[in-house]
Amino acid sequence: SVNDLGDSLSPWPTVPSGATLKTEGIYEEVRHPMYAGVVAVMAGISILTGSANRLLLTAALLYALELKTEKEEEELLDAFPEYAEYKAKVSGKFVPARLLDKLPWGN
């Protein structure tokens, strides 16, 4: 997903000028795959090391990324009106919806 974004990649919750909306590849499954990867790695390290403190920090990171993505998605809606349709189609923000649907408590 880093390669997919190219010059559109930014650490700030703004849409760089000249950016394009990416909806192919991994973005067909989840809207924020890089954040999902970071959280997955952090959760894995927390579990492998048996560290409750790391797991709590991972939860705090997930919360911070949730807030950041809310702001980013507002910016994306302003820059790309078609983002609303994409967001409705790809409901998984960090985890693919079809994976969540397979869980016992899924829809």
Side-chain angles (χ1 to χ4, degrees):
S1 91
V2 171
N3 288 336
D4 290 338
L5 289 177
D7 292 338
S8 297
L9 183 63
S10 169
W12 312 114
T14 58
V15 178
S17 64
T20 58
L21 182 62
K22 305 296 181 192
T23 60
E24 294 86 31
I26 189 69
Y27 294 98
E28 292 175 294
E29 299 292 330
V30 66
R31 296 194 314 267
H32 299 280
M34 286 187 285
Y35 297 156
V38 169
V39 171
V41 167
M42 297 307 299
I45 290 170
S46 301
I47 292 166
L48 285 173
T49 60
S51 173
N53 287 337
R54 284 189 182 109
L55 197 55
L56 287 172
L57 288 172
T58 300
L61 173 64
L62 180 59
Y63 178 71
L65 290 174
E66 177 66 33
L67 296 177
K68 184 175 189 255
T69 58
E70 286 177 16
K71 176 66 175 154
E72 285 178 342
E73 290 190 341
E74 288 174 12
E75 296 287 331
L76 287 166
L77 281 167
D78 288 343
F80 306 105
E82 65 272 23
Y83 190 79
E85 181 181 331
Y86 167 71
K87 186 176 176 181
K89 179 182 169 194
V90 180
S91 61
K93 188 183 271 194
F94 301 115
V95 179
R98 66 183 176 152
L99 176 63
L100 290 176
D101 290 343
K102 292 182 181 183
L103 297 173
W105 57 84
N107 295 333

